[in-house]
Amino acid sequence: MLRIYATGQDLARTRIASAPDPMWEIVLSLHELLRPTAKIVFDGWRRATVAAIARRGATGAVRMLASLAPARSRYFPDFLTPSGSLPSLQDGLKAVRATPPAQLRAQLVRLDLVRPGSRPSSSWIDSLACGDPEAVDRLGEALRVFYDIALAPYQSEISTHFHADRAQRTRALAGGGVEALLASLGPSVRWRPPVLEVDYPCDHQLHLNGRGLLLVPSLFCHRFPITFADQDLPPVLVYPVTPDPHWLAAPSTAEPGRALAALLGDTKAAILEHIATCGERTTTELARRVHASPATVSYHTRILREAGIIVTLRTGNLALHSLAPLGIALLHDRKMSPR
């Protein structure tokens, strides 16, 4: 059981990440790739990724990462998932490369890859533990290669599901406050003031101490929510997003098709595509993107909303539009149809 102790100040500072975190997705998708008992929903992705790793000759990079984040271990180094919300892969890799040597060594010791007080050897792990720039660069390159192979071809699907989940949490927050937001995270998370209880593979406590909590939806975090091992890092709770059973059957290489435009019309299709790519958007942002007036966009979003394809959350004078499950299904079916 994970117990997160929160004050009123922490609740006021609880927030939801604005975009998928590439570093968490790298590590959690690596676990999906390596764990033979993973859910069948990822089988298509796993087959395609294994084949792509072989084609790219990237087995060495995967082995390097697997040594640092073993799938069956309850621990992997926090430096692989830098703290804070880093929606850019480049920012994440930069943060990994900037990890202080003392932190590298301490976390590798905890993983039992380096012995405390041991003399450095010529191994890559020992060089990494010493903060050797070449070893750190090798780690950064392995992370980038794995991302390019395992995640980059699926960014549209990852983003679509992330923003749909984020919209759901935002609606819960707007309707019932932070307690409703926490309650919406599912049966594995329970708010029992002043403690947020989370189903976890081991006993762990996290005292927020006024720092608030960053909630990060993750497609590849399917078993249970996860947080940092180090309590001193900015508090994060990564929690599962449930995908459509067939959404990872193949990479999204198709360009936006004409079938969706024929069904909905060019403007509605463009609105739907933009929300899927960028997440919740205001009427003004959509109008700028699709080169239409706000009044025209309001007309089309009303039709999409009444059809159950999008949902609209009103905050003051702003209307925030996001995908509904039917909208996700429409985009998925368009991508999976034969060209």
Side-chain angles (χ1 to χ4, degrees), residues 210-223:
R211 295 173 295 172
L213 181 66
L214 177 65
L215 300 172
V216 182
S218 167
L219 212 39
F220 286 93
C221 176
H222 80 275
R223 292 192 302 160

Side-chain angles (χ1 to χ4, degrees), residues 35 47 52 65 82 86 96 119 209 253-254 263 268 300 307-308 313 328:
R35 186 185 297 115
R47 287 192 298 269
L65 297 179
L86 297 170
V96 170
R119 293 181 178 180
N209 295 327
T253 56
L263 175 66
K268 295 183 190 67
H300 288 296
L313 173 68
I328 294 174

Side-chain angles (χ1 to χ4, degrees), residues 76-97:
F76 61 83
D78 290 327
F79 64 72
L80 291 174
T81 51
S83 59
S85 181
L86 297 170
S88 153
L89 176 66
Q90 290 73 22
D91 289 341
L93 295 179
K94 183 178 179 180
V96 170
R97 290 187 170 101

Side-chain angles (χ1 to χ4, degrees), residues 48-70:
T49 300
V50 168
I53 288 170
R55 285 197 309 272
R56 291 276 297 271
T59 303
V62 174
R63 286 176 179 167
M64 180 184 297
L65 297 179
S67 69
L68 295 177

Side-chain angles (χ1 to χ4, degrees), residues 219-239:
L219 212 39
F220 286 93
C221 176
H222 80 275
R223 292 192 302 160
F224 47 79
I226 188 169
T227 188
F228 289 125
D230 186 349
Q231 286 203 41
D232 293 331
L233 293 173
V236 169
L237 185 68
V238 182
Y239 66 89

